[in-house]
Amino acid sequence: MAKQKKIRILSEEEAQNLIENIPFPEYQLLTKITLNHGLRNSEAISLKRKDFNLENQSLWVIEGKRGKDRELPIHSDIVDELEEYLEGMDDEDYLFPSPVIDSHISSRFFQKLIRRASVNAGLYPETVEKPEDVTLQIPYHERVTPHTLRHTFSVRLLRNDTPIQEVSKLLGHESVEITIESYDFLDIETGRTHMNEVSFA
């Protein structure tokens, strides 16, 4: 079987530039949540107020892939920002509601948001001047997408010597074997580095 192509990961500087080029504070927060917790696109956009326990500084990802729930620690760098954002929300309120329907924003909306911000942040060659150029010029595995945020989170944890079992749990993988298969190009060392060693807030 051919070896899987590496998916692009962002440096801390690139991640900061991306966030700064996203319009509206709520969507900057969406990007920070995704980057700092390794959420899938669908998991991030569908978060509700009730999914967050600020007292315990934890969040629940409800019905992730294959209907599997998981609890994650809230990254310490965004706790204060989250507390302010969640103030006054009802339990069933979506964090990122759609402006046109009674639901959350769509996966496609988030994808387009990240694509435009990545172009404006200068994360591509100079020949990429507008979002449409990304599709025409950049191979899929080199594009910046919501999955890039999840991938950046996991790779940077692994490079900071976080045990792959811990990374697997944080990502919500069904088994460690899936994590190993996804990141078998990494030299995984023994040891543990807490998630807060990796920050994009």
Side-chain angles (χ1 to χ4, degrees):
M1 185 196 293
K3 192 174 179 67
Q4 198 175 30
K5 289 183 177 179
K6 295 182 183 180
I7 299 172
R8 179 170 181 173
I9 68 167
L10 303 178
S11 67
E12 290 189 33
E13 181 180 0
E14 287 175 329
Q16 292 291 346
N17 288 341
L18 178 69
I19 292 168
E20 290 169 6
N21 279 276
I22 290 176
F24 306 112
E26 63 267 35
Y27 298 139
Q28 291 185 355
L29 179 61
L30 168 61
T31 305
K32 291 178 186 178
I33 291 173
T34 308
L35 267 169
N36 284 293
H37 301 89
L39 301 186
R40 299 177 177 93
N41 184 335
S42 59
E43 294 171 344
I45 62 175
S46 60
L47 289 168
K48 290 184 174 182
R49 171 62 184 90
K50 67 179 181 181
D51 300 330
F52 291 82
N53 185 327
L54 296 178
E55 184 176 347
N56 294 335
Q57 296 190 5
S58 64
L59 71 92
W60 276 96
V61 179
I62 307 299
E63 294 185 2
K65 197 170 183 179
R66 299 182 181 87
K68 192 175 181 181
D69 300 347
R70 69 187 188 277
E71 186 178 17
L72 300 174
I74 297 174
H75 198 293
S76 61
D77 285 353
I78 64 171
V79 168
D80 291 343
E81 187 175 355
L82 258 178
E83 286 182 346
E84 183 177 351
Y85 186 75
L86 296 176
E87 188 174 354
M89 281 189 178
D90 294 329
D91 280 352
E92 292 297 329
D93 287 346
Y94 287 110
L95 265 67
F96 310 106
S98 167
V100 293
I101 61 174
D102 186 21
S103 185
H104 52 75
I105 60 173
S106 67
S107 293
R108 182 169 177 77
F109 179 92
F110 192 17
Q111 290 168 350
K112 292 174 70 174
L113 184 78
I114 293 298
R115 178 176 295 183
R116 180 172 296 278
S118 64
V119 173
N120 292 339
L123 302 185
Y124 296 112
E126 292 182 0
T127 55
V128 177
E129 299 178 346
K130 53 187 182 298
E132 294 79 8
D133 294 337
V134 176
T135 305
L136 296 173
Q137 299 183 32
I138 307 299
Y140 183 79
H141 67 279
E142 295 178 8
R143 298 174 193 171
V144 179
T145 68
H147 186 67
T148 305
L149 311 183
R150 174 174 164 86
H151 190 68
T152 296
F153 167 84
S154 53
V155 169
R156 289 183 63 81
L157 281 179
L158 290 167
R159 286 180 175 171
N160 277 282
D161 298 334
T162 308
I164 199 163
Q165 295 90 339
E166 183 69 19
V167 176
S168 184
K169 289 179 182 178
L170 291 170
L171 293 175
H173 283 165
E174 192 171 6
S175 69
V176 174
E177 286 71 23
I178 293 174
T179 315
I180 293 172
E181 184 178 347
S182 300
Y183 302 104
D184 64 354
F185 61 87
L186 291 167
D187 179 19
I188 309 302
E189 303 293 339
T190 307
R192 187 179 195 284
T193 302
H194 292 292
M195 190 171 71
N196 285 345
E197 293 294 320
V198 181
S199 174
F200 300 99

